[in-house]
Amino acid sequence: MDISQQIAQYIITGLTIGAIYALVAIGFNIIHNATGIVNFAQCEFISLGGMFMYTLVVPLKVKLFIAFFISMFAVALIGALIERGPIRHARSKEIIILIFLTIGISEVLRGTAQEVWGTDNVGVPGFSGESPIHLPGGAAIVPQHIWIFAITVLIVLMLHYFFKRTLMGKAMRATAVNRQAAMLVGIPVNRMVLLSFAFSGGLGAVAGMIIAPISTTSYDTGIMLGLKGFAAAILGGYGNFAGAILGGTILGLMESLGAGLISSQYKDAIAFFVLLLVLFLKPEGILGYGESEKV
Amino acid sequence: MLVITNLSAHYGGVQALHNISLEEGAGEIVALIGANGAGKTTLLNLISGIIRPSNGKIVFNGQDLISLAPEKIVELGIIQVPEGRLLFGPLTVKENLELGAYRRRAKADRKKVSKDFEYVLQLFPVLKNRLEQRAQTLSGGEQQMLAIGRGLMAKPRLLLLDEPSLGLAPLIVQEILTIIVRLKKEGTTILLVEQNARAALRISDRAYVIETGRIRLQGKAENLLENEEVKKAYLGQDLRKK
Amino acid sequence: MKKKLLMTVVAALAASLMIGMPFSYCAAPIKIAGIFALTGRAAHIGTSQRDAVLLAIDDVNAQGGINGRKLEMVMSDTESNPTKAVIALKKVLESEDVVAIIGPTLTGTAMAMRGFIEKEQIPTFMHSGGDVILTAPLKKGDPSSTPKWTFKSPYKAADAMGKICEYMSKHGIKKIGFLYSNEGFGKDGVRNVMVQAPKYGIEVVAQEAFQPKDVDMTAQLTRINAKGVDGIIAWTVGPAMGIIPKNVKQLGIKAPLFECHGAGDPIFWKVAGEAGEGVMMPSTKIVVGDQLADNDIQKQIVLDYVKAYKAKFKREPGTMVAYGADAALIVIEAIKKVGPDRAKIRAAIENTKGYVGISGIYNISPEDHNGLAMKDIVMIKATKGGWKLLK
């Protein structure tokens, strides 16, 4: 295997993991833009997506396709309930308090998941088998990688369409820009916030589901992916939609190229260093520009 | 059309409005004049449901507005064009106008909405060439026109205009005032908050003078224009110019 | 008449109380501490080991306890985290009078706890895989300052590594890559492979690390594969045990894959799925009891234990269970012999000779706080959702 083939492999790997980070980062951004908070329960959305799908597909033998949608909507519903319950009824609306609240919610969800599923990691079958595919460049992937790309791209396109072309999507952006102005044109702001939590839940669940056949899943898989996704969001510019995609991709590539070409022992350190460097040079993130377009 | 009785409101523990009573009939332009911080904007936000009064009543066409959600108040046709415009800056001009008609997104309304869209563009032709531009890139005057346009997209029955002339060049102010008069002629009821008291009184039917949260004077606009107290307090600059 | 009825009721009540607590009524229980990774990345190991210990304790109590006193375990969770492990340790020692400790699960947590254990002088039987917990000096620069109070039940990683290398050299594997999780156990593996591999004429041409929670190791494996290896050892426990075989298969790597002596567990199949087929590893006999030769003195003990475990927990035990069980059984044996006295228990454990356990035959001595040897280890191959004993 020559070096160009190796690099092709590193890039493919980096892009796959990066796609997951990007989905998680978008989830963080959507809630941030609607409410101004960092929702740490995002990590649990990922774990729950994976575990719901595992439960439906493996012990309950539900068709994968159906299980995918059931899990996605179930976690979206959990996201909505988090907003409708504790977040909306929190006595204090201070951002920092709400963030701590999401940490608490996150602990409760994880504890519950641990009670329900135990602590074992479990595997989920690939969406269409696990026989490797050899790409022209010399890299090898499994069909799940194609699923990860395809689903991520599809979701990004759908979100783009939703936010740019539908009135509801525009209303969500408007709410993010100026809550009071949104109220004055008659946008039901609370419902937009509710929707943002449901979206984030669904997105987190999808990230957890599409990675599960590769990484296996457990009640707490979401912690690491969630934190990486959070880092990706910051790297790209917190709150910025394109930034999330860019940040996720860069982080994924840094990790895999760093591990492959420099040192696997320091790959996280390398990625972390790049993150710090970017934030040092541009504290608002690569595509962050203060008060400008969010979502 | 709009009847406010004994309205009081608190803002962070401080009483901002004291027993305000106010009336506006259909087709009128009523001006609220007063210094900065007198409580004019608070009053508009109370009507729009953004903040809640501690006491009093707001009734619109026989319906009590207190405890109605802001979006329901918009649905009744009470539309506020807020101070400082509060546009959706990163969104395009077109998107801002579309969102103005958010409550009218039912299929049946679609035709009427696109008709109103044409109407707004005809009213403010400058916006026509800027539809795909981000709202934050417009000049101050254009932004004010867009803000009024966004308000008109909701098909207002009562339009609450908060400082529409704030920070604009005299020529633009004139243009905006002309449009307000035109809107009245076309049947819109207008509640106008202005610091530019002279301009406001000239185009209004009646006016209320608010001082530190209380109504100090009220009457026909032309009478207030001649009132010595008003002249001294709010039209002073103009006097000196003479 | 009424009085008689009342007396009967009182007598019945008293009797039922007596039956309900026959031993605790007579004497206070003997307490031991169980410190396991019940949550976090090693939770699947910690919970297996906890169950194994619970089974051993229930067994003792069912037979009447130790000298009429019940044995009780005070359980705490390290959350797979060294700092939390030390906190849990201090908490249990402050609040309970325990005579011995069983656990912890991970090498990293064990290393963090060692110093405190020595200071408190409490015999501790660990389940951790890494040898450093026994060999690393407690005082810097003083190689003789190895722990007195710490023992470990799993094979010495050096022996497990040696077993793999022995197998490899028998099958003509000469150039290998080593893939390890970048924490205590994995790093311990690096030290061991560099010592063991040359002994068997094997060259380690690549060493690659990954983070314990990483979800993809294709970059590391690509690098290893580029060096033209004919064998790969992956030294880790946790989900990576399943991710690595998947990645190997994805990359079409032909070199056989070996994993550590913690992989022979049902969890392996849960995380690896079909990709697990053909992976080889050193293991205790617990997962291949029925394939053992009839003259193997462990065979009956292993089969009986598996039966009891399955009856109680309704699932197959993995290799980790053996380590948990042996630690508990040796500690219980020591308490039975010398009573609830920390120093005496320590001495008794250190004197364990020829103890036929599930993992092997323990010959513990002051020089060897593990007591197992390479001959106790078997090589197994993951085959069709189960395990095949390799000859």
Side-chain angles (χ1 to χ4, degrees):
Chain A
M1 199 185 236
D2 64 37
I3 188 75
S4 70
Q5 285 176 318
Q6 289 178 41
I7 291 176
Q9 185 69 48
Y10 301 145
I11 290 176
I12 294 283
T13 302
L15 290 177
T16 314
I17 301 300
I20 302 287
Y21 295 166
L23 281 185
V24 178
I26 294 171
F28 271 112
N29 284 347
I30 289 179
I31 288 186
H32 172 79
N33 288 346
T35 60
I37 68 174
V38 177
N39 170 37
F40 281 100
Q42 189 70 28
C43 301
E44 267 43 64
F45 295 160
I46 305 168
S47 309
L48 288 175
M51 292 314 287
F52 275 139
M53 192 170 77
Y54 160 77
T55 310
L56 289 170
V57 172
V58 180
L60 297 180
K61 311 249 183 296
V62 175
K63 281 224 169 59
L64 206 131
F65 177 75
I66 299 165
F68 184 89
F69 284 99
I70 295 178
S71 309
M72 185 171 81
F73 285 116
V75 181
L77 184 69
I78 290 174
L81 289 175
I82 290 175
E83 196 282 332
R84 198 67 188 76
I87 297 285
R88 190 175 298 184
H89 295 292
R91 199 168 298 169
S92 166
K93 296 292 172 206
E94 287 224 27
I95 299 286
I96 190 74
I97 304 252
L98 292 178
I99 292 177
F100 277 114
L101 189 58
T102 70
I103 295 176
I105 293 165
S106 166
E107 295 284 341
V108 171
L109 286 176
R110 196 180 321 138
T112 313
Q114 188 184 340
E115 286 304 313
V116 174
W117 287 292
T119 52
D120 284 358
N121 270 72
V122 286
V124 176
F127 289 12
S128 48
E130 283 171 7
S131 16
I133 301 166
H134 294 272
L135 299 181
I141 57 171
V142 288
Q144 192 63 25
H145 286 109
I146 299 175
W147 281 107
I148 290 178
F149 277 125
I151 291 174
T152 305
V153 169
L154 189 70
I155 284 184
V156 167
L157 289 178
M158 276 165 48
L159 284 177
H160 183 83
Y161 179 84
F162 175 78
F163 283 118
K164 293 282 180 179
R165 293 275 175 275
T166 69
L167 192 64
M168 181 85 88
K170 290 170 188 175
M172 274 180 85
R173 282 162 65 209
T175 308
V177 174
N178 192 317
R179 235 181 141 97
Q180 185 176 345
M183 285 184 187
L184 289 177
V185 298
I187 296 170
V189 168
N190 280 339
R191 206 173 306 159
M192 295 297 136
V193 174
L194 182 76
L195 205 58
S196 77
F197 271 82
F199 268 47
S200 290
L203 277 173
V206 169
M209 286 189 282
I210 59 182
I211 189 80
I214 289 185
S215 70
T216 76
T217 179
S218 72
Y219 77 103
D220 70 347
T221 14
I223 298 179
M224 195 277 295
L225 288 171
L227 291 180
K228 292 274 174 73
F230 180 60
I234 291 181
L235 183 64
Y238 209 76
N240 187 297
F241 188 78
I245 298 165
L246 191 69
T249 309
I250 292 177
L251 195 62
L253 284 174
M254 285 311 306
E255 282 186 1
S256 107
L257 287 169
L261 298 177
I262 306 171
S263 159
S264 55
Q265 197 162 4
Y266 297 110
K267 83 179 164 69
D268 279 17
I270 296 164
F272 192 60
F273 176 75
V274 171
L275 178 67
L276 284 181
L277 191 72
V278 167
L279 293 182
F280 183 70
L281 296 173
K282 207 163 180 294
E284 64 278 20
I286 300 173
L287 291 185
Y289 30 24
E291 282 304 296
S292 202
E293 170 101 81
K294 299 169 182 171
V295 174
Chain B
M1 190 178 208
L2 179 72
V3 181
I4 296 177
T5 27
N6 290 330
L7 195 66
S8 297
H10 288 78
Y11 228 47
V14 182
Q15 191 160 3
L17 290 183
H18 303 262
N19 292 323
I20 298 257
S21 293
L22 178 153
E23 258 177 65
E24 176 156 17
E28 274 191 307
I29 298 186
V30 168
L32 291 177
I33 53 183
N36 237 338
K40 299 169 299 195
T41 300
T42 306
L43 180 57
L44 292 198
N45 282 340
L46 283 164
I47 300 172
S48 288
I50 304 286
I51 49 177
R52 299 284 171 211
S54 38
N55 207 357
K57 254 178 145 172
I58 306 174
V59 177
F60 180 69
N61 284 343
Q63 181 164 8
D64 191 354
L65 297 190
I66 309 255
S67 82
L68 272 190
E71 64 265 23
K72 297 289 171 209
I73 293 174
V74 169
E75 234 159 46
L76 292 177
I78 302 178
I79 311 299
Q80 185 187 148
V81 177
E83 181 181 5
R85 276 105 55 181
L86 302 190
L87 293 172
F88 305 118
L91 277 66
T92 66
V93 169
K94 194 171 165 209
E95 286 170 335
N96 270 276
L97 291 175
E98 283 170 3
L99 285 169
Y102 186 82
R103 299 310 300 182
R104 302 164 71 202
R105 62 196 186 286
K107 248 192 185 138
D109 285 337
R110 209 161 284 173
K111 253 202 183 127
K112 284 185 216 155
V113 170
S114 66
K115 225 167 126 192
D116 289 339
F117 185 71
E118 292 308 319
Y119 167 72
V120 168
L121 292 185
Q122 178 216 332
L123 211 55
F124 304 110
V126 281
L127 298 179
K128 220 175 206 165
N129 302 323
R130 307 194 184 278
L131 284 176
E132 296 306 324
Q133 214 169 309
R134 289 180 172 206
Q136 64 203 8
T137 63
L138 298 182
S139 74
E142 289 163 349
Q143 287 196 15
Q144 188 59 56
M145 292 175 191
L146 177 56
I148 296 175
R150 185 180 68 183
L152 293 177
M153 288 297 291
K155 198 87 189 149
R157 297 164 72 188
L158 171 62
L159 192 61
L160 314 174
L161 289 172
D162 198 353
E163 306 278 9
S165 75
L166 195 71
L168 300 183
L171 220 68
I172 311 278
V173 172
Q174 203 46 55
E175 204 177 328
I176 301 256
L177 293 175
T178 315
I179 285 185
I180 295 172
V181 174
R182 175 171 168 188
L183 290 176
K184 172 202 152 119
K185 276 189 191 137
E186 287 168 1
T188 313
T189 310
I190 293 166
L191 183 58
L192 175 66
V193 164
E194 259 297 347
Q195 281 202 65
N196 186 342
R198 180 175 293 274
L201 289 174
R202 269 199 196 127
I203 61 167
S204 307
D205 301 304
R206 291 184 306 114
Y208 293 80
V209 177
I210 302 191
E211 263 178 35
T212 55
R214 291 184 175 80
I215 291 187
R216 185 67 207 273
L217 284 167
Q218 53 179 301
K220 286 201 159 169
E222 63 245 42
N223 295 347
L224 287 175
L225 259 175
E226 298 308 318
N227 181 303
E228 284 307 317
E229 220 176 315
V230 173
K231 269 185 184 173
K232 220 156 120 193
Y234 302 102
L235 311 172
Q237 266 182 328
D238 293 4
L239 275 177
R240 248 173 279 133
K241 265 184 209 159
K242 270 183 189 173
Chain C
M1 185 66 197
K2 255 187 184 171
K3 206 174 181 185
K4 210 172 180 181
L5 187 70
L6 191 74
M7 286 306 288
T8 320
V9 170
V10 169
L13 213 67
S16 72
L17 276 171
M18 296 282 281
I19 295 161
M21 39 176 178
F23 302 114
S24 56
Y25 191 71
C26 311
I30 299 173
K31 287 183 180 175
I32 58 172
I35 302 181
F36 311 101
L38 298 178
T39 54
R41 69 183 179 85
H44 65 283
I45 310 172
T47 44
S48 283
Q49 291 171 344
R50 175 201 59 195
D51 290 350
V53 176
L54 282 174
L55 183 59
I57 290 175
D58 284 0
D59 222 31
V60 155
N61 288 337
Q63 289 164 23
I66 299 170
N67 295 330
R69 290 176 71 185
K70 256 192 171 180
L71 191 60
E72 193 182 298
M73 177 161 66
V74 185
M75 211 166 354
S76 23
D77 180 9
T78 66
E79 302 177 35
S80 306
N81 174 328
T83 316
K84 300 269 173 67
V86 174
I87 294 171
L89 172 67
K90 289 186 175 169
K91 214 164 152 188
V92 74
L93 290 186
E94 272 167 24
S95 56
E96 301 278 354
D97 183 23
V98 296
V99 297
I101 298 173
I102 297 179
T105 309
L106 285 172
T107 304
T109 51
M111 290 302 280
M113 287 166 56
R114 272 186 346 154
F116 197 71
I117 287 169
E118 288 299 311
K119 215 176 84 198
E120 290 291 314
Q121 307 207 322
I122 176 155
T124 303
F125 222 119
M126 300 185 165
H127 300 145
S128 323
D131 293 347
V132 281
I133 58 173
L134 300 183
T135 57
L138 287 158
K139 277 185 231 135
K140 258 198 180 148
D142 178 8
S144 66
S145 68
T146 51
K148 279 202 168 48
W149 295 84
T150 312
F151 302 84
K152 73 164 225 169
S153 57
Y155 303 122
K156 289 186 269 297
D159 287 344
M161 192 72 78
K163 190 80 185 177
I164 298 178
C165 294
E166 181 194 67
Y167 182 88
M168 284 177 152
S169 82
K170 250 195 251 170
H171 292 80
I173 296 170
K174 296 233 170 306
K175 263 171 77 178
I176 63 163
F178 190 75
L179 181 60
Y180 63 99
S181 58
N182 204 3
E183 37 72 61
F185 179 69
K187 289 179 188 164
D188 184 66
V190 178
R191 279 187 289 275
N192 281 311
V193 78
M194 296 320 281
V195 173
Q196 297 298 324
K199 282 192 195 165
Y200 296 90
I202 296 168
E203 190 190 353
V204 183
V205 293
Q207 282 180 28
E208 296 295 336
F210 59 87
Q211 301 308 318
K213 282 248 163 192
D214 278 357
V215 295
D216 183 296
M217 290 87 189
T218 51
Q220 290 89 336
L221 286 164
T222 301
R223 237 165 105 114
I224 290 176
N225 197 35
K227 301 262 171 69
V229 298
D230 45 23
I232 296 172
I233 300 176
W235 208 252
T236 182
V237 287
M241 296 188 312
I243 301 174
I244 293 167
K246 285 185 184 186
N247 290 165
V248 164
K249 204 174 162 204
Q250 172 199 338
L251 295 170
I253 295 173
K254 294 283 174 286
L257 176 65
F258 295 81
E259 291 199 358
C260 76
H261 51 306
D265 190 287
I267 184 84
F268 173 86
W269 285 107
K270 277 196 184 168
V271 292
E274 285 169 28
E277 196 71 26
V279 177
M280 290 171 276
M281 62 213 70
S283 171
T284 61
K285 295 171 180 171
I286 196 168
V287 295
V288 287
D290 47 354
Q291 297 173 46
L292 295 172
D294 287 335
N295 62 1
D296 190 318
I297 56 163
Q298 279 179 274
K299 183 164 186 170
Q300 207 46 51
I301 292 172
V302 168
L303 289 177
D304 287 349
Y305 186 82
V306 171
K307 209 170 134 196
Y309 185 91
K310 271 159 90 171
K312 186 164 168 85
F313 299 112
K314 313 275 175 269
R315 55 189 152 88
E316 292 282 337
T319 197
M320 301 295 190
V321 169
Y323 307 140
D326 285 335
L329 291 172
I330 293 172
V331 169
I332 290 169
E333 206 57 34
I335 299 174
K336 271 187 186 163
K337 228 181 272 172
V338 298
D341 177 290
R342 290 181 182 182
K344 284 184 189 160
I345 292 171
R346 193 205 77 84
I349 294 174
E350 203 171 60
N351 247 324
T352 305
K353 296 281 184 271
Y355 179 83
V356 184
I358 322 285
S359 320
I361 297 158
Y362 285 85
N363 283 302
I364 304 176
S365 66
E367 292 74 39
D368 181 0
H369 272 198
N370 166 239
L372 293 174
M374 219 164 98
K375 65 170 173 47
D376 293 312
I377 310 172
V378 292
M379 285 298 289
I380 59 168
K381 186 178 198 169
T383 314
K384 294 187 187 116
W387 313 99
K388 196 174 152 243
L389 181 64
L390 296 172
K391 305 283 171 189

